[in-house]
């Protein structure tokens, strides 16, 4: 599987075929009622859906080279998958394992572990708080006499991970088996992507490489491709809201016929179109390595506000039904809010962008 050979940001036929396949799978295995039920249980992650995505379609190894058992694809294809997962608010560790942890392992050239991730026998999570930006300060644990000690908080999908990639105070990134640490769930705004506290009390770990380079690469890819997830979420909400307003009648006419609502939806459509361009550009830049930092900063400076606005509009324009627990719009609002602070808030990315293009504040 490879990216389109011709220049431009339009999707190739292969990418559209991938989108259709992922959407069909999610339609069959990830309905809104099922997601709501799962978030109320003790096991919010949908392991069976993860296995379908990874085993049946090989998506867990999308970014991993073919010689290591992966698909040898690029960030463009990965962005398509994340867009569809965002549309379904799918409770699977795809962004955290197949993107962020995978990028860290690629930076460390940990071929054996990459093979495990590609075969879906292992789920990995980078033990860095979900809120940390690509250039942000990274908390670490202590290395004492070859053992790791300390506590890390806000680790996304740690509860379902088989392996944690842990930064230590010697500057190294260590692979630690989840069985050797204590994972304590934390209250998460987004129940479809739970976070946890990870406590290491003399855990053994294998040093993989330089944590600084690996973590920055991983978080940059996470931030850039998160924009595609936010795009999928916003686009789904816009589509569903327009459909609802065409069906809902008030004063013997379609609610969607009121001009004030048309203006709100038109404004939201423009924002989603802008996000589509920014997210696609970020995915392409990650694939080519050209102006990557700028493209990622632009995407994340914009994506959060659009996704949150789309969720808020959907909640309001669905009226009373939108306020009910049975309607899935609250899942989208929570995911959008949580995503808006994941891998750095918009202000952090604006500051980074200003530095990159030499537009420093006076």
């Amino acid at each position: 599987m490879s990216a389109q050979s011709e220049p431009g940001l339009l999707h190739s036929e292969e990418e559209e075929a991938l989108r259709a396949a992922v959407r069909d799978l999610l339609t069959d295995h990830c309905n809104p009622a099922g997601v709501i039920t799962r978030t109320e249980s003790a096991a919010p992650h949908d392991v069976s859906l993860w296995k379908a995505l990874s085993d049946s379609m090989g998506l867990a190894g999308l970014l991993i080279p073919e010689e290591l058992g992966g698909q040898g694809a690029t960030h463009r294809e990965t962005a398509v998958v994340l867009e569809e997962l965002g549309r379904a608010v799918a409770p699977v560790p795809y962004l955290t394992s197949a993107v962020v942890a995978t990028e860290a392992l690629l930076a460390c050239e940990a071929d054996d572990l990459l093979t495990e991730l590609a075969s879906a026998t292992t789920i990995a999570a980078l033990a860095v708080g979900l809120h940390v930006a690509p250039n942000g300060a990274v908390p670490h644990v202590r290395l004492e006499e070859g053992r790791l000690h300390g506590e890390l908080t806000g680790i996304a999908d740690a509860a379902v991970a088989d392996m944690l990639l842990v930064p230590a105070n010697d500057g190294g990134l260590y692979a630690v088996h989840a069985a050797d640490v204590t994972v304590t769930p934390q209250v998460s705004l987004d129940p479809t992507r739970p976070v946890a506290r990870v406590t290491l009390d003399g855990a053994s770990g294998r040093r993989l490489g330089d944590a600084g380079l690996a973590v920055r690469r991983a978080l940059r890819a996470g931030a850039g491709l998160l924009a595609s997830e936010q795009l999928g979420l916003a686009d789904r909400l816009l589509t569903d809201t327009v459909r609802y307003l065409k069906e809902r009648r008030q004063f013997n006419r379609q609610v969607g016929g009121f001009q004030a609502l048309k203006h709100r939806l038109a404004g939201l459509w423009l924002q989603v179109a802008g996000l589509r361009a920014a997210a696609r550009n970020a995915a392409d830049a990650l694939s080519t390595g050209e102006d990557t930092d700028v493209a990622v900063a632009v995407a994340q400076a914009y994506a959060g506000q659009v996704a949150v606005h789309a969720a808020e509009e959907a909640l309001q324009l669905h009226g009373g039904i939108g306020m009910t627990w049975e309607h899935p719009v609250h899942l989208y609002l929570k995911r959008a809010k949580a995503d808006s602070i994941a891998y750095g808030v918009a202000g952090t990315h604006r500051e980074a962008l200003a530095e990159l293009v030499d537009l420093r504040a006076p």
Side-chain angles (χ1 to χ4, degrees):
M1 192 181 298
S2 61
Q4 63 183 36
S5 58
E6 66 271 15
L9 300 181
L10 297 179
H11 292 86
S12 67
E13 291 184 4
E14 292 81 2
E15 289 164 351
E16 290 295 354
L18 174 62
R19 178 193 304 283
V22 174
R23 186 173 296 187
D24 286 346
L25 178 65
L26 292 171
T27 299
D28 292 337
H29 297 280
C30 190
N31 63 75
V35 176
I36 293 173
T37 300
R38 187 168 293 280
T39 61
E40 297 173 329
S41 72
H45 292 97
D46 192 338
V47 178
S48 62
L49 175 59
W50 170 256
K51 288 187 176 298
L53 289 166
S54 54
D55 293 346
S56 303
M57 303 186 69
L59 298 182
L62 210 56
L63 289 173
I64 298 173
E66 292 183 52
E67 58 268 25
L68 298 178
Q71 300 297 317
T74 75
H75 300 82
R76 291 173 63 116
E77 291 92 347
T78 308
V80 171
V81 176
L82 280 166
E83 191 177 332
E84 292 306 310
L85 294 176
R87 286 179 61 89
V89 285
V92 292
Y94 191 84
L95 180 65
T96 48
S97 183
V99 176
V100 176
T102 294
E103 288 281 348
L105 292 175
L106 286 169
C108 295
E109 299 182 350
D111 291 356
D112 58 330
L113 299 182
L114 287 167
T115 299
E116 291 182 22
L117 262 64
S119 64
T121 57
T122 297
I123 296 173
L126 181 66
V128 174
L130 185 60
H131 64 284
V132 177
N135 290 314
V138 177
H140 53 258
V141 299
R142 304 184 315 279
L143 180 67
E144 298 177 357
E145 300 179 353
R147 296 284 179 168
L148 299 168
H149 302 264
E151 184 176 276
L152 300 165
T153 60
I155 311 303
D157 295 331
V160 76
D162 305 298
M163 178 186 301
L164 295 165
L165 307 180
V166 182
N169 61 352
D170 69 334
L173 185 68
Y174 288 80
V176 179
H177 290 292
D180 296 333
V181 306
T182 301
V183 177
T184 307
Q186 294 179 285
V187 176
S188 176
L189 175 62
D190 176 12
T192 65
R193 181 174 286 145
V195 297
R197 178 186 300 109
V198 175
T199 305
L200 298 93
D201 186 13
S204 61
R206 166 187 163 193
R207 196 180 198 278
L208 302 174
D210 184 346
L213 294 175
V215 170
R216 184 182 183 280
R217 172 173 171 171
L219 296 182
R220 186 178 68 171
L225 292 177
L226 176 65
S228 291
E229 176 184 293
Q230 291 165 302
L231 168 62
L233 181 152
D235 187 65
R236 171 68 177 270
L237 289 169
L238 175 61
T239 300
D240 287 355
T241 303
V242 170
R243 181 186 303 115
Y244 176 77
L245 292 181
K246 286 181 177 179
E247 297 171 351
R248 175 69 172 166
R249 301 187 69 84
Q250 194 174 66
F251 305 117
N252 202 32
R253 62 179 295 188
Q254 287 181 340
V255 173
F258 292 106
Q259 191 169 16
L261 299 189
K262 288 182 178 180
H263 287 170
R264 288 171 65 172
L265 292 170
L268 180 58
W269 183 91
L270 288 172
Q271 291 183 1
V272 173
L275 174 53
R276 179 172 288 106
R280 187 62 176 167
N281 185 53
D284 186 69
L286 285 164
S287 298
T288 63
E290 298 179 7
D291 295 323
T292 306
D293 290 338
V294 170
V296 170
V298 167
Q300 276 308 316
Y302 185 61
Q305 67 186 51
V306 175
V308 170
H309 183 219
E312 291 174 341
E313 289 288 78
L315 181 66
Q316 293 180 20
L317 296 178
H318 273 82
I321 191 175
M323 298 297 294
T324 63
W325 188 258
E326 290 76 12
H327 197 282
V329 71
H330 67 90
L331 293 176
Y332 289 86
L333 179 59
K334 292 169 185 173
R335 172 68 71 90
K337 285 284 191 178
D339 281 357
S340 70
I341 62 173
Y343 306 119
V345 297
T348 299
H349 290 284
R350 292 191 187 102
E351 291 176 3
L353 179 60
E355 290 287 336
L356 289 167
V357 300
D358 199 24
L359 284 176
R360 296 174 180 84

